[in-house]
Every structure is written in structure tokens, then in C-alpha cells.
Amino acid sequence: MMKALGLALCGALAVSGLPAVAQELTYPGKNISVVIPKNPGGGTDTSARLTLEYAKKYLPDGVIFVAENKPAGNGVSGLIEVARAKPDGQTLVMTTVELAMFPHQDKAPVTYEDFTGLYAPIADPCSLVVRADSPYQTLQDFVDAAKAAPGEIQVANSGTGAIYDLATINMEQQLDISLRHIPFSEGIGPAIAALVGGHVDAVITTPGTAKPQVDAGALKVLGVMDSKRFELFPDVPTFNEALGAGTDTQMRAWAAFAGPAGLPEDVTAELVAMFSAVAADPEYQDAMKNQGIMPSTLAGEELQAMMKADHELYARLIAEAQATK
């Protein structure tokens, strides 16, 4: 039996023919498989499972989400599995920003074109973070110092060729500066620890990742790489605000639910409506924020457009990075 749940959709939806309210899904004939191509416990896994917990009320009686972590091959095997699955809405995947990067690094044979974007619980901007007692108290301070001493300021990242390394390259290109890249292949946690310990001058990461250290007074976010300010740090300016219009450094670390390419329009519309109703739920928003995650509202065609734009951005950044080796 159909049961309207009366939750309004997010205004950002761009799927034609979308219903005014989200209702119970009509198509599933069996459980919906959700591949999470990351290890358990990380931000991608947490946001995926938390979103599915709030989405389960839209499933027909007897149907559940079956989430499974498949991190093998940096998650590429899971992406391939879903890209090749029947496009009927019974198999979904939690894609990540690496989908826009790996094809250009010869790490994956699939791109955004192999998927139908549905909803991104996470779309956090990259940001520049320094110690609270750093001599760089503003973005302009940082840029001025970098221009005065090319290649000397040490900026930590989560590994060569990873998103925060490429964000540093993008920042260098946009601001005409040269920085010393310090990769931490173990991930962004050790990079942040190195910054807190005074072993590097700055780190590129998402604002939420550094929030515990910022709240403790150890670190300071100088700016975010987005077109608007980040809600968890409303006093932190965007790069455009701090450095002037035309500073196009927009880069986001995202994770998004997707189905295989060719998902029928009616199935796509139902899934986007469901996820968007979840995104508009204040309880869900609070639950995500309690995990240090700022929930996004990117869905449907808007999400697909972002995936395409990032694919093109990383094609350029990775080509330029490889050319300088």
C-alpha cells in the first residue's frame, strides 16, 4: 500500500516530473543492494549507512537496504560491479570523488558516465588549515609569504595524487605560488597530527575533518575552496572573498549514491525524491552533524553535473601534475 510521508523535497532538485512529496518506493521487488567501496568506519561508510537508516522508512514492507563494504582495489572493483549491474534500481553504490580522479590516473576503467547520480550526503569543500599560532592569520598572509619564499612553505596532504594534493596544485596555479608538498600516504589524520605538532606549516583538508582541533584552539581554518561559506565555520571566508573575485579554486570532497547508467527515469525520480526528503529531515541533519559531517543537498541532475565538472577538472589537474614530474 502506498503511504505518503509528507516530507517536502529540497528546492535544489532538478529532475523533471518529480513528485511534490516523497512516497514509498514502488519498484523494488527485492532487497536493494548498496555497495560501499570503502572500509567500515570512515566518513563515506558512516554517511552512507546513516543516510540509509533514515531512508529505510520509504521502502515497501519486506524490503531492506543491504549495504556491503567492498574496498578491494581502492574500491574500484565495487564501482565496476555496480556499473555493470542491471539498471533497475536494485543495485546502488556510494561513489566518491575518486571516481573523477582514477580514470585519469589509469586506476579505473569507469567514469561518471557509467553511473546515474542520485544524492550526495557529503560535498565538503577543501580548505587551508594552519596552526592557531601560525604567522599566517589570513589567506592573504599565506599567499604573500608563499610569493616571498617560493617552494618553502610546507603543506601536508593525504598522499601524492590524492584530492588534497591536487587541491594544493590547483591553489598554486590559481594564486601563482609555489609550495612544498608533504604527502602522508597513511591519510589525512597523520597530516593533521603533523600540523598540530608543528612539523608542517599547513594542511589541505575538509573543514569538518579539522573541526576537533579547531574547536580545541590548536588549529585555524584560513579559507574554504567553494562558492559559498561552509556552514560549520560561517566566519571563515571563501578564497574568492579573501583574495578577490576570479579566484576559482572550488574543489569538494564528495560521496554520492548512484545507480548504473541508464536507470529508468521513473526509478531515478523515486530514488532522488526519497534521498532528498531524507536530506531535508532535521533529525537526519542533526545526526550527520553529530558525526562531524555537514549534510549536502546535491541530488539528481545537479549532482550529475557536478560529477561531470569534476571529471573535467581532474583531467586537467592530473595531466598538469604528471607533466611537471
Side-chain angles (χ1 to χ4, degrees), residues 284-295:
Y284 167 76
Q285 294 170 9
D286 289 343
M288 289 282 276
K289 291 175 184 177
N290 287 339
Q291 295 294 325
I293 301 170
M294 186 64 219

Side-chain angles (χ1 to χ4, degrees), residues 196-275:
V196 172
H199 305 295
V200 296
D201 301 307
V203 66
I204 297 290
T205 184
T206 55
T209 304
K211 192 174 187 301
Q213 293 83 0
V214 173
D215 290 345
L219 300 182
K220 175 184 177 70
V221 183
L222 294 186
V224 295
M225 300 179 182
D226 206 348
S227 60
K228 62 182 184 302
R229 295 193 179 196
F230 190 62
E231 188 174 326
L232 292 181
F233 292 96
D235 296 330
V236 175
T238 67
F239 272 56
N240 273 5
E241 288 176 319
L243 302 174
T247 309
D248 185 15
T249 57
Q250 183 166 314
M251 292 185 72
R252 290 178 284 195
W254 50 264
F257 289 100
L263 208 60
E265 289 186 7
D266 58 337
V267 172
T268 300
E270 284 194 18
L271 286 168
V272 172
M274 175 193 73
F275 282 125

Side-chain angles (χ1 to χ4, degrees), residues 163-183:
I163 180 173
Y164 302 130
D165 181 40
L166 295 172
T168 306
I169 292 173
N170 191 34
M171 186 170 67
E172 290 175 305
Q173 293 173 347
Q174 295 294 327
L175 304 178
D176 191 25
I177 58 177
S178 176
L179 303 166
R180 184 178 175 189
H181 296 228
I182 309 296

Side-chain angles (χ1 to χ4, degrees), residues 90-200:
Q90 296 287 166
T91 306
L92 308 179
V93 64
M94 188 67 154
T95 61
T96 63
V97 67
E98 282 81 13
L99 177 64
M101 300 160 59
F102 283 172
H104 310 299
Q105 298 168 324
D106 297 325
K107 295 180 179 178
V110 293
T111 74
Y112 76 95
E113 294 179 311
D114 296 294
F115 298 94
T116 301
L118 300 170
Y119 168 59
I122 302 175
D124 287 354
C126 295
S127 63
L128 179 65
V129 182
V130 298
R131 283 175 56 94
D133 60 0
S134 168
Y136 323 123
Q137 289 297 299
T138 68
L139 267 177
Q140 192 63 62
D141 289 343
F142 183 90
V143 172
D144 291 344
K147 289 187 174 181
E152 292 189 15
I153 296 180
Q154 298 179 325
V155 180
N157 60 63
S158 56
T160 301
I163 180 173
Y164 302 130
D165 181 40
L166 295 172
T168 306
I169 292 173
N170 191 34
M171 186 170 67
E172 290 175 305
Q173 293 173 347
Q174 295 294 327
L175 304 178
D176 191 25
I177 58 177
S178 176
L179 303 166
R180 184 178 175 189
H181 296 228
I182 309 296
F184 285 78
S185 58
E186 303 91 346
I188 201 62
I192 292 176
L195 177 60
V196 172
H199 305 295
V200 296

Side-chain angles (χ1 to χ4, degrees), residues 54-95:
Y54 279 82
K56 68 182 184 182
K57 61 188 174 184
Y58 297 102
L59 296 178
D61 291 341
V63 174
I64 62 172
F65 291 112
V66 180
E68 184 176 1
N69 296 89
K70 296 188 177 182
N74 286 323
V76 173
S77 60
L79 291 172
I80 294 173
E81 175 186 331
V82 177
R84 294 176 177 172
K86 184 178 179 181
D88 56 6
Q90 296 287 166
T91 306
L92 308 179
V93 64
M94 188 67 154
T95 61

